[in-house]
Amino acid sequence: MKKSWIIIPLLIFSGCMKADITHMTVKMVNTEGKSIGTVKLVEQPRGVEMTLDLKDLPPGVHGLHIHEKGKCIKPSFQSAGKHLNPEQKKHGLLNPAGAHAGDLPNITVQEDGSVKVDVLASNVTMKEGRINSLLTKDGTALVITSKKDDGMSQPSGNSGKPIACGEISNHKQKK
């Protein structure tokens, strides 16, 4: 009988606690709403590793940012809001004051329109409830822009218009 008094509270509490999400796959779409591939997100001790496997993009260097809302309404993707910046920092990986959470390195798309690369987003986490979490109430979005990010210009690195977007949300996928 004594053992059941220990097990019952454990069962009750284990059902009430959220399991941390440690990985998910984000579907990326272009301005026409066509799928262009996926980005796999994996929580790491130093941030979130993003593995991009994309196609049908314009060749060249493009900006990559995390935006504050998990909405990718085509064709402009303005629904994704501004760059994720919970600490109100200045923009740019080259900014001496430090980059904001949504700043990521530029990506290089090959001549055939593909990009396969790993990017570490060191200023974010997938742990819910943290100020820099990708899994907010409204979600967040991963956005690719038409030009490269210059790493300094405010507020978005002079990186052009969004050309692709992917919604990051804990409501779509639990693992």
Side-chain angles (χ1 to χ4, degrees):
M1 186 68 169
K2 288 181 181 180
K3 288 182 182 179
S4 64
W5 288 107
I6 294 170
I7 294 173
I8 291 171
L10 286 175
L11 291 173
I12 292 170
F13 287 121
S14 67
C16 296
M17 298 183 72
K18 287 185 190 177
D20 279 335
I21 296 172
T22 58
H23 60 282
M24 69 174 45
T25 300
V26 175
K27 178 184 167 187
M28 297 293 290
V29 297
N30 64 16
T31 56
E32 298 168 356
K34 179 184 170 193
S35 176
I36 60 164
T38 61
V39 178
K40 292 183 181 176
L41 308 180
V42 179
E43 180 76 26
Q44 299 289 340
R46 299 178 299 127
V48 175
E49 182 178 21
M50 300 180 169
T51 301
L52 287 75
D53 187 0
L54 306 172
K55 61 182 181 177
D56 299 328
L57 286 165
V61 181
H62 298 276
L64 178 66
H65 302 98
I66 301 165
H67 284 237
E68 64 188 351
K69 296 177 187 171
K71 293 275 188 204
C72 292
I73 299 173
K74 62 180 174 107
S76 69
F77 302 129
Q78 294 303 310
S79 55
K82 299 176 183 178
H83 291 183
L84 182 64
N85 189 8
E87 296 174 315
Q88 303 305 308
K89 292 188 175 185
K90 295 289 185 183
H91 170 79
L93 292 176
L94 301 176
N95 193 310
H100 58 60
D103 283 328
L104 297 173
N106 289 320
I107 58 170
T108 302
V109 177
Q110 303 302 312
E111 286 300 317
D112 67 358
S114 69
V115 60
K116 292 183 181 189
V117 67
D118 291 337
V119 174
L120 181 66
S122 59
N123 293 326
V124 297
T125 183
M126 292 174 68
K127 295 177 183 170
E128 293 184 64
R130 303 266 177 101
I131 188 171
N132 62 336
S133 178
L134 297 178
L135 304 176
T136 66
K137 175 180 66 121
D138 297 325
T140 53
L142 193 58
V143 175
I144 298 172
T145 56
S146 61
K147 300 181 196 175
K148 71 178 185 174
D149 184 332
D150 67 17
M152 286 289 288
S153 298
Q154 303 303 312
S156 60
N158 198 27
S159 58
K161 294 180 180 181
I163 60 170
C165 188
E167 297 176 1
I168 303 170
S169 171
N170 60 348
H171 301 291
K172 293 184 178 184
Q173 184 172 345
K174 292 272 185 184
K175 288 216 176 192

